[in-house]
């Protein structure tokens, strides 16, 4: 962000500034000034956006800010994803900005993504002047109407005296309770009008109430059930990371010797190298995690919304289990899976309540031995025949071995996403950054930018597929301009791989619109952007290529030509039984 230095002349004797005939008068305080002050009051250090006509007054006010740095993205969708990832990594709401009309609608995919994954994001959108609203003015869109279903709340700013407080409240709500995106729509006259009002710090409305502690009697009953269980299982959801409850969950599992599985958004909440870890469950989860869910008699789900990619068919999900469900959002309780013991409250607080209520340790030795046996029966391994192309799992594992334990992984969506979550060992929260509920292709690269801005001293590796990378690869120009030391790994199979896998399995191998043999040379394109481009096609090239990429001071792209026929397993068919997972196509 540019800083403006004073050029006023000084009195040689006193050193004090003296008036200059051409000195500019003080700039008036406007609604846009209040918007920027609200961001500063919230402690915002970075925002991501794209300039435009209706948002221009806010950008003009941002010019004078010494606290908030703006990162100009190549596309508004990229701005929303970068803000989303910034919020995941930092734990504070990310901020994105765009102008009216197409600028605002280009944010919608990223806002919807944040909504599905409960990520804290504040979106600021320009709008045509109030008097033109509803008249089909140039670049007008009903932004609040469009985004109402995908935000916790949104605001149409009605005046310069209140717009700063609107932004402060939007920021407070984005982070409060169950996090999520909020939006403030800013008519140009509102941001241009003068005001003397100074916005306050982030706040929430008096009517917004969050339950922190679960009902003590319900906690007591849940604890009794866990104590009596023979096969208890902790199911850790994304709410554990959002609620900074990883330590409480780890302590509970260790104290009572309860095996742990996670949903995909919760990867890293429990260390995957721990003896109690069963890793990720669900459609492409480990066989041993899905077997544990199928056979548990007491499922303790914390911060989990039981989406269909986790549960498969509801009637076959944890069929013999009494379900203890901890969630800060009462709307999630019994929405998809009936909770026998509903515990509404903050994840860290309620897990601590459960810990304090426990009077005995369940006998889990036999159950833990069974889980270990499943690990032996259904290992996450793969073959590397000399007569077949490079396997993607090998590339993922090689990168994991070459990077620090706290390295951050971002991904797009598709087969590469699954290999990245399956074959990288995650031990810390906020190191896995991906699109889960919405499944947004192209998420990986802009997310890597947001993650690196949030954690500049941490290694960031982004796994993309060729189809996913094509959707937002223009953001590589931002990484080059900002000199962000990120590594993008394109697992290139010249297909939309997951679609191709489903077509082969369920559509008689009729590969319609899934073959991408026309893909460009991504290493050459990377060089054109000013990044480092590296091509990898053989096993013996992988180690040197990884070293070259990681040692390069700036963005690097590895175009890895992988086996185009490789599929993601284990796999539970949509709506299927988690205990009947497929380990190869013949099992489907």
């Amino acid at each position: 962000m540019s800083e403006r230095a004073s050029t006023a002349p000084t009195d040689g004797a006193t050193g004090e500034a003296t008036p200059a005939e051409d000195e500019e008068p003080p700039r008036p305080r406007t609604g846009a000034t209040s918007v920027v002050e609200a961001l500063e009051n919230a402690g915002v250090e970075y925002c991501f956006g794209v300039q435009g006509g209706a948002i221009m007054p806010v950008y003009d006010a941002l010019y004078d800010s010494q606290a908030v740095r703006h990162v100009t993205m190549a596309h508004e969708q990229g701005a929303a994803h970068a803000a989303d990832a910034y919020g995941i990594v930092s734990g504070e709401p990310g901020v994105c900005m765009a102008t009216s009309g197409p600028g605002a609608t280009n944010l919608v995919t990223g806002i919807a993504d944040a909504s599905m994954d409960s990520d804290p994001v504040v979106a600021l959108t320009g709008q045509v002047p109030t008097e033109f609203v509803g008249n089909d003015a140039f670049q007008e869109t009903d932004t609040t109407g469009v985004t109402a279903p995908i935000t916790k709340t949104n605001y149409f700013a009605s005046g310069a005296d209140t717009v700063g407080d609107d932004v402060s409240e939007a920021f407070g709500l984005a982070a409060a309770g169950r996090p999520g995106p909020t939006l403030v729509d800013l008519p140009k006259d509102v941001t241009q009008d003068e005001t003397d009002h100074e916005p306050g710090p982030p706040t929430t409305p008096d009517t917004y109430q969050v339950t922190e502690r679960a009902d003590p009697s319900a906690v007591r009953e849940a604890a009794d059930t866990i104590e009596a269980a023979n096969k208890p299982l902790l199911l850790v959801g994304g709410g554990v990371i959002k609620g900074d409850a990883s330590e409480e969950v780890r302590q509970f599992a260790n104290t009572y010797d309860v095996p742990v599985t996670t949903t995909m958004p919760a990867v890293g909440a429990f260390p995957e190298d721990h003896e109690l870890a069963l890793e990720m469950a669900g459609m492409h989860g480990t066989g041993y995690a899905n077997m544990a869910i199928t056979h548990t008699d007491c499922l303790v789900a914390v911060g989990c919304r039981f989406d269909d990619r986790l549960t498969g068919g509801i009637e076959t999900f944890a069929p013999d289990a009494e379900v203890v469900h901890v969630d800060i959002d009462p709307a999630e309780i019994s929405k998809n899976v009936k909770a026998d013991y509903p515990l509404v409250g903050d994840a860290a607080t309620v897990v601590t309540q459960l810990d304090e209520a426990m009077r005995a340790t369940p006998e889990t030795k036999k159950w833990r031995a069974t889980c270990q046996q499943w690990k032996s029966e259904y290992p996450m391994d793969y073959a590397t025949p000399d007569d077949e192309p490079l396997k993607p799992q090998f590339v993922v594992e090689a990168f994991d071995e070459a990077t620090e334990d706290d390295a951050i992984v971002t991904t797009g969506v598709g087969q590469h996403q699954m290999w990245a979550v399956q074959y990288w060992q995650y031990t810390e929260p906020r190191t896995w950054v991906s699109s889960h509920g919405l499944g947004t292709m192209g998420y990986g690269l802009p997310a890597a930018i947001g993650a690196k801005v949030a954690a500049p001293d941490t290694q960031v590796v982004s796994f993309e597929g060729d189809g996913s990378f094509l959707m937002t690869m223009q953001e590589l120009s931002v990484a080059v301009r900002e000199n962000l030391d990120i590594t993008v790994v394109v697992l290139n199979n010249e297909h939309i791989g997951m679609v191709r896998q489903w077509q082969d399995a369920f559509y008689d191998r009729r590969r319609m619109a899934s073959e991408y043999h026309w893909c460009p040379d991504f290493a050459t394109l990377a060089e054109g952007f000013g990044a480092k481009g590296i091509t990898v096609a053989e096993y013996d090239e992988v180690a040197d290529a990884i070293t070259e990429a990681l040692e390069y001071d700036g963005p690097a792209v590895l175009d890895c030509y992988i086996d185009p026929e490789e599929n993601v397993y284990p796999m539970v068919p949509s709506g299927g039984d988690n205990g009947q997972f497929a380990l190869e196509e013949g099992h489907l």
Side-chain angles (χ1 to χ4, degrees):
M1 182 64 213
S2 300
E3 295 185 2
R4 303 184 69 187
S6 172
T7 57
T10 61
D11 184 309
T14 64
E16 296 179 356
T18 57
E21 292 184 2
D22 59 348
E23 184 176 0
E24 295 183 6
R27 296 175 64 82
R29 286 182 51 81
T30 64
T33 308
S34 286
V35 169
V36 173
E37 286 182 350
L39 296 180
E40 293 173 339
N41 292 343
V44 173
E45 297 180 356
Y46 292 92
C47 62
F48 305 85
V50 179
Q51 253 280 28
I55 195 68
M56 198 174 292
V58 179
Y59 273 89
D60 185 63
L62 192 61
Y63 182 87
D64 293 321
S65 177
Q66 303 299 309
V68 183
R69 181 183 174 193
H70 180 267
V71 180
T72 298
M73 302 296 288
H75 190 280
E76 292 89 354
Q77 180 183 343
H81 291 329
D84 184 352
Y86 183 94
I88 293 170
V89 172
S90 70
E92 299 293 332
V95 179
C96 56
M97 299 170 58
T99 194
S100 62
T105 57
N106 282 342
L107 288 179
V108 166
T109 296
I111 295 171
D113 192 289
S115 178
M116 288 287 282
D117 288 350
S118 300
D119 295 334
V121 171
V122 177
L124 304 176
T125 53
Q127 184 55 275
V128 300
T130 306
E131 63 179 312
F132 294 145
V133 171
N135 292 339
D136 295 329
F138 177 67
Q139 291 192 331
E140 180 191 358
T141 296
D142 179 7
T143 302
T144 55
V146 168
T147 60
I150 55 172
T151 53
K152 285 184 72 173
T153 190
N154 62 24
Y155 305 77
F156 183 87
S158 59
D161 291 338
T162 56
V163 66
D165 291 333
D166 289 340
V167 174
S168 293
E169 190 169 282
F171 200 96
L173 282 169
R178 180 180 182 175
T182 59
L183 180 143
V184 185
D185 203 29
L186 304 166
K188 196 169 184 178
D189 58 313
V190 169
T191 54
Q192 287 179 325
D193 286 349
E194 295 185 18
T195 179
D196 292 327
H197 182 73
E198 296 183 7
T203 186
T204 57
D206 293 338
T207 54
Y208 184 78
Q209 302 294 327
V210 176
T211 301
E212 295 288 334
R213 296 180 62 82
D215 178 74
S217 61
V219 172
R220 172 76 273 146
E221 292 178 0
D224 289 344
T225 299
I226 298 169
E227 291 171 9
N230 294 312
K231 303 174 183 178
L233 180 68
L234 268 170
L235 173 61
V236 176
V240 168
I241 293 178
K242 310 297 181 191
D244 291 322
S246 296
E247 287 302 318
E248 287 79 1
V249 166
R250 294 179 186 201
Q251 179 179 325
F252 190 92
N254 283 316
T255 300
Y256 303 105
D257 289 329
V258 179
V260 180
T261 185
T262 72
T263 66
M264 191 161 70
V267 164
F270 192 83
E272 294 184 334
D273 58 355
H274 194 287
E275 63 180 358
L276 291 171
L278 300 174
E279 301 163 60
M280 185 182 77
M283 178 174 282
H284 292 294
T286 65
Y288 34 94
N290 284 328
M291 289 294 285
I293 284 180
T294 301
H295 293 279
T296 180
D297 62 359
C298 179
L299 185 67
V300 184
V302 185
C304 168
R305 63 187 179 88
F306 292 110
D307 77 297
D308 60 299
R309 288 297 174 102
L310 167 69
T311 64
I314 294 294
E315 67 282 355
T316 58
F317 180 78
D320 301 322
E322 292 190 271
V323 176
V324 177
H325 190 182
V326 179
D327 206 287
I328 200 167
D329 186 355
E332 291 299 336
I333 302 294
S334 296
K335 184 178 78 174
N336 295 324
V337 171
K338 182 181 182 300
D340 299 294
Y341 303 95
L343 302 178
V344 177
D346 171 73
T349 302
V350 177
V351 171
T352 299
Q353 285 182 272
L354 277 173
D355 187 17
E356 293 171 347
M358 295 284 287
R359 293 176 291 201
T361 299
E363 177 49 61
T364 64
K365 184 177 180 179
K366 184 177 179 180
W367 169 235
R368 285 184 284 117
T370 300
C371 291
Q372 289 298 320
Q373 181 180 341
W374 286 326
K375 278 190 172 185
S376 299
E377 290 180 12
Y378 309 111
M380 292 297 295
D381 55 14
Y382 57 95
T384 56
D386 292 337
D387 60 346
E388 293 183 9
L390 180 64
K391 297 298 183 181
Q393 302 95 321
F394 181 89
V395 177
V396 173
E397 288 189 332
F399 260 100
D400 186 15
E401 293 174 3
T403 52
E404 302 293 335
D405 290 343
D406 65 348
I408 295 169
V409 174
T410 75
T411 77
V413 168
Q415 286 180 316
H416 66 277
Q417 177 190 31
M418 295 302 128
W419 290 315
V421 76
Q422 290 176 330
Y423 291 94
W424 190 291
Q425 193 171 75
Y426 298 89
T427 59
E428 297 297 330
R430 304 189 187 278
T431 57
W432 164 254
V433 181
S434 193
S435 171
H436 305 108
L438 197 65
T440 307
M441 291 177 66
Y443 179 88
L445 174 55
I449 291 172
K452 189 65 177 181
V453 170
D457 298 325
T458 303
Q459 290 175 310
V460 176
V461 178
S462 178
F463 288 98
E464 282 280 16
D466 45 296
S468 187
F469 188 50
L470 279 170
M471 293 194 171
T472 58
M473 69 173 298
Q474 70 274 4
E475 303 303 339
L476 192 58
S477 64
V478 178
V480 171
R481 187 194 71 228
E482 298 293 328
N483 193 33
L484 299 177
D485 191 8
I486 62 176
T487 302
V488 180
V489 187
V490 183
L491 298 179
N492 188 346
N493 56 14
E494 297 187 335
H495 287 80
I496 304 182
M498 192 61 79
V499 171
R500 192 272 305 153
Q501 179 172 338
W502 278 55
Q503 287 174 329
D504 288 357
F506 306 118
Y507 293 88
D508 299 322
R509 304 184 70 83
R510 293 160 60 89
R511 297 181 178 181
M512 175 63 186
S514 62
E515 297 177 313
Y516 272 38
H517 301 311
W518 44 266
C519 272
D521 182 330
F522 292 118
T524 299
L525 276 176
E527 295 283 348
F529 276 108
K532 183 72 172 177
I534 305 169
T535 300
V536 178
E538 305 292 339
Y539 286 104
D540 59 8
E541 298 172 342
V542 172
D544 288 344
I546 290 175
T547 298
E548 184 179 2
L550 294 178
E551 290 182 353
Y552 181 71
D553 185 15
V557 175
L558 268 69
D559 190 6
C560 299
Y561 287 88
I562 62 168
D563 187 346
E565 299 299 316
E566 188 69 9
N567 288 331
V568 177
Y569 293 106
M571 178 180 179
V572 179
S574 182
D577 181 343
N578 279 7
Q580 301 295 319
F581 49 88
L583 297 176
E584 59 183 57
E585 187 172 323
H587 294 166
L588 293 171

